[in-house]
Amino acid sequence: MEELLLNTQNVTKFYGSDDATVHALAGVNLSVRRGEFVAIMGPSGSGKSTLMNILGCLDRPTSGAYVLDGEDVSELSRAQLADVRNRKIGFIFQSFNLLPRLSALKNVMMPMLYYRQDADERPRVDEREERATRALEDVGLGDRLHHRPNQLSGGQQQRVAIARALVNQPPLILADEPTGNLDSHASEEVMTLIGGLHRKGVTILMVTHDPTIAAHAERVVCLRDGLIVADGPGGGGNCVEREGRR
């Protein structure tokens, strides 16, 4: 059986207190094996974003355990979580989050500036440039290295973001609505690229509201009211059918 990359055990997340308490996650148990491509779906307010923030080490659970790549990260300090994020997680956001004044190459180089807390362990400048160039070539942008974001199409900007997510070779890629700001043609190009990464063995966890995008995943997890209510083969059908039966 393939090795687990991440595992949550009865993870909860509460906001507020007393009568104003919001139970964003009410006890989530989720396991993802290395090399899996998993889509997370659910209606607004289901807990998708909260779960992604915890899985991405951007937030900590109120209770429960989260083990990522063999390390329990549930109660790490903010500085420790930042180090884990940089070493073990690549992020792909809906809004690209590229720095507008920097070229594609320099945007992709950014994560390597913060790699490890010890500066002596960071790649040298020439190595950073070489790795960033290779990452951009891998996403088909070898001829756009020195273009700034405003000189690129939306689909090209998202490919820069994918190269940036991959440059530190993290074991996990988290994609939050990766096609949300793209037209249908660019969306299909980006999903073809993400699917190709999965076929190369990259572990991908993706949040989407679109069943046609979820269909690219091999497994779909459906959230409702802070709980997993369906978990099965890709396609998004279970989530859509449950929405229709509300």
Side-chain angles (χ1 to χ4, degrees):
M1 186 174 180
E2 293 175 330
E3 179 186 358
L4 286 182
L5 176 60
L6 68 85
N7 180 47
T8 70
Q9 299 172 6
N10 200 32
V11 161
T12 69
K13 185 65 180 181
F14 302 157
Y15 297 101
S17 60
D18 300 326
D19 293 340
T21 300
V22 175
H23 295 231
L25 296 176
V28 171
N29 296 290
L30 175 66
S31 296
V32 176
R33 300 187 305 276
R34 291 185 188 276
E36 273 198 292
F37 184 0
V38 180
I40 297 177
M41 299 186 72
S44 177
S46 63
K48 299 191 305 295
S49 295
T50 300
L51 180 59
M52 283 293 274
N53 284 342
I54 289 173
L55 296 178
C57 294
L58 296 165
D59 199 0
R60 287 173 293 209
T62 302
S63 65
Y66 173 31
V67 177
L68 172 62
D69 199 25
E71 180 179 5
D72 189 341
V73 299
S74 312
E75 298 181 3
L76 296 183
S77 68
R78 291 186 181 277
Q80 290 170 322
L81 286 175
D83 184 55
V84 170
R85 284 197 302 273
N86 199 247
R87 289 185 291 110
K88 297 189 175 184
I89 305 171
F91 293 92
I92 304 170
F93 299 101
Q94 176 178 342
S95 55
F96 318 139
N97 287 4
L98 302 178
L99 297 176
R101 294 181 180 274
L102 298 185
S103 66
L105 182 65
K106 290 185 177 179
N107 265 286
V108 175
M109 290 171 66
M110 285 299 293
M112 290 181 281
L113 290 174
Y114 303 101
Y115 188 76
R116 302 280 187 178
Q117 295 177 346
D118 186 345
D120 292 337
E121 297 185 43
R122 295 172 194 157
R124 300 183 313 273
V125 174
D126 58 340
E127 184 183 350
R128 294 201 297 266
E129 185 168 334
E130 180 182 343
R131 284 170 54 178
T133 298
R134 188 162 58 247
L136 284 164
E137 290 173 346
D138 287 345
V139 299
L141 292 177
D143 59 344
R144 297 288 192 273
L145 301 180
H146 303 293
H147 286 59
R148 293 184 179 181
N150 64 2
Q151 298 172 309
L152 300 170
S153 69
Q156 289 171 333
Q157 289 184 63
Q158 191 61 297
R159 282 191 273 162
V160 172
I162 292 171
R164 181 184 58 193
L166 292 169
V167 75
N168 276 344
Q169 299 178 321
L172 175 65
I173 296 294
L174 291 183
D176 189 0
E177 299 283 2
T179 62
N181 284 344
L182 304 177
D183 61 30
S184 58
H185 177 70
S187 294
E188 191 59 35
E189 285 186 340
V190 165
M191 290 312 303
T192 297
L193 179 57
I194 290 175
L197 296 174
H198 167 236
R199 287 188 291 276
K200 292 178 181 178
V202 177
T203 307
I204 299 167
L205 197 57
M206 175 180 69
V207 163
T208 182
H209 68 280
D210 186 342
T212 62
I213 298 301
H216 289 265
E218 61 182 343
R219 174 181 161 205
V220 176
V221 173
C222 184
L223 281 180
R224 177 182 297 286
D225 299 327
L227 289 168
I228 293 176
V229 296
D231 185 346
N238 285 340
C239 289
V240 174
E241 289 167 10
R242 286 173 178 269
E243 283 299 293
R245 292 199 297 267
R246 286 189 67 184

